[in-house]
Amino acid sequence: KVLGLRTLSNNAFLAVDGTIDDVDFSIETVPDSYSYLGPFRHAVNNGRGASKVISIDPSRDIVINDGFMLDIAIDYPGTENETVCKDALMKMKCVSAQDPTNASEVPEVQGWCERGLLPNCSCAVNISHFTSFMVEADEDGITINNDDGTGNVNNTQSNNNAMDLPAGFWMHFYDMSADEVPDYSHCTVGTVDDDGEKKWQYVTNLIQQNKACTGGLGKLMSEFNYMDDMATYQPRFQSWVCIQGHTCSPMEGDSFCFIFDEKEDDFIPWDKDSQLKLLKEEDKAGFFE
């Protein structure tokens, strides 16, 4: 369980028409690609993201009176231990942003964490509005001791089992089947052993140097489901990244492009931009000048 939401009183909220009937709350986990590039990116890319980014949206316009208690599961190494959890929460806070895709927005602090009621380590904080939320660690960092007392935490995740791209992606750009497309399985973002977070850090640095760019997949985004449960549908493939001068696109002025797999938290090699033609000439001048 990643989130709990409970009212602080029987008079916590009302719909704008004065009733509390038929008000449902949509709770979704924001795709990792938005976490790495949106308003929460500074904390996430610096290793201070301590939870998933959660978006909450009521089905009707409501007026909040006494408010809600938000309880977000902590996703931080070592906090499975209850003592470690309580110590870590003392240096964690909940922040929010109206638009999880807007990189120019500055997150707002909702409050410092208290131990939540979820079975696993969780951050509880009072909220008076609904938007996107994330728990982040204090900028001074958190020292977490393992059972051996070393203070070292292994936060490395292996994402080398990312699946190949579905044939639908190839058919949009090639007059051939997927098994006839050149083999780019050796092409990577960053290093093979990096997890998704480190790879997004690598991409973000390249973007800041005008050596890479990213965008959305448009119609392709909706063709493949992110979740196994269709009731929680989210597109599995939502964004692409093209990197200038990548070893898999040696021709001058060309870029090699990847698609991010939200489920496997990894970049999947796609093809050279000279083939895909994702970038317009005027865009290339702006990205790679």
Side-chain angles (χ1 to χ4, degrees), residues 163 165-170 172 217 219-227 230 233-238:
M163 61 173 286
L165 285 174
F169 281 102
W170 302 114
H172 278 268
L217 285 168
K219 293 180 180 179
L220 283 173
M221 185 185 302
S222 63
E223 293 189 10
F224 306 99
N225 190 16
Y226 171 35
M227 308 293 287
M230 289 301 295
Y233 177 87
Q234 290 187 45
R236 178 169 180 174
F237 307 100
Q238 304 185 32

Side-chain angles (χ1 to χ4, degrees), residues 24 39 60 107 118 140 144 161 235 259 268 287:
D24 298 318
R60 300 171 62 190
L118 297 182
D140 293 335
I144 296 178
N161 60 339
I259 290 177
I268 301 175
F287 284 126

Side-chain angles (χ1 to χ4, degrees), residues 45-260:
N45 292 332
N46 288 323
R48 294 189 291 109
S51 76
K52 296 290 187 181
V53 177
I54 305 294
S55 179
I56 306 175
D57 186 28
S59 60
R60 300 171 62 190
D61 291 334
I62 62 175
V63 176
I64 297 178
N65 298 320
D66 297 332
F68 293 78
M69 176 68 76
L70 178 64
D71 202 353
I72 303 180
I74 298 301
D75 182 16
Y76 204 83
T79 53
E80 300 82 4
N81 178 282
E82 182 62 25
T83 300
V84 172
C85 168
K86 290 180 179 179
D87 290 342
L89 287 173
M90 295 177 64
K91 291 189 175 182
M92 292 182 179
K93 57 191 174 184
C94 180
V95 294
S96 68
Q98 292 292 330
D99 183 356
T101 69
N102 183 4
S104 63
E105 185 178 353
V106 178
E108 176 184 350
V109 177
Q110 295 299 304
W112 290 92
C113 293
E114 297 182 1
R115 178 62 171 97
L117 298 179
L118 297 182
N120 47 327
C121 187
S122 63
C123 166
V125 64
N126 292 350
I127 61 171
S128 58
H129 67 284
F130 292 105
T131 180
S132 297
F133 302 90
M134 187 189 77
V135 178
E136 69 174 49
D138 186 70
E139 293 183 1
D140 293 335
I142 296 175
T143 300
I144 296 178
N145 289 322
N146 289 337
D147 292 340
D148 61 3
T150 62
N152 298 320
V153 175
N154 182 1
N155 193 27
T156 302
Q157 302 177 14
S158 176
N159 292 294
N160 297 332
N161 60 339
M163 61 173 286
D164 293 332
L165 285 174
F169 281 102
W170 302 114
M171 300 309 294
H172 278 268
F173 296 93
Y174 300 89
D175 186 20
M176 62 180 74
S177 62
D179 58 5
E180 296 176 301
V181 174
D183 180 14
Y184 290 119
S185 59
H186 62 288
C187 303
T188 63
V189 171
T191 64
V192 174
D193 294 331
D194 285 346
D195 59 18
E197 180 176 333
K198 288 183 179 178
K199 290 183 178 182
W200 271 112
Q201 291 175 9
Y202 176 80
V203 168
T204 301
N205 289 335
L206 291 179
I207 291 174
Q208 293 171 347
Q209 300 171 41
N210 291 327
K211 294 181 179 179
C213 58
T214 183
L217 285 168
K219 293 180 180 179
L220 283 173
M221 185 185 302
S222 63
E223 293 189 10
F224 306 99
N225 190 16
Y226 171 35
M227 308 293 287
D228 294 329
D229 178 9
M230 289 301 295
T232 55
Y233 177 87
Q234 290 187 45
R236 178 169 180 174
F237 307 100
Q238 304 185 32
S239 58
W240 54 264
V241 168
C242 291
I243 299 176
Q244 182 197 36
H246 194 282
T247 55
C248 291
S249 57
M251 186 172 66
E252 183 177 356
D254 203 358
S255 304
F256 193 82
C257 304
F258 299 80
I259 290 177
F260 189 70

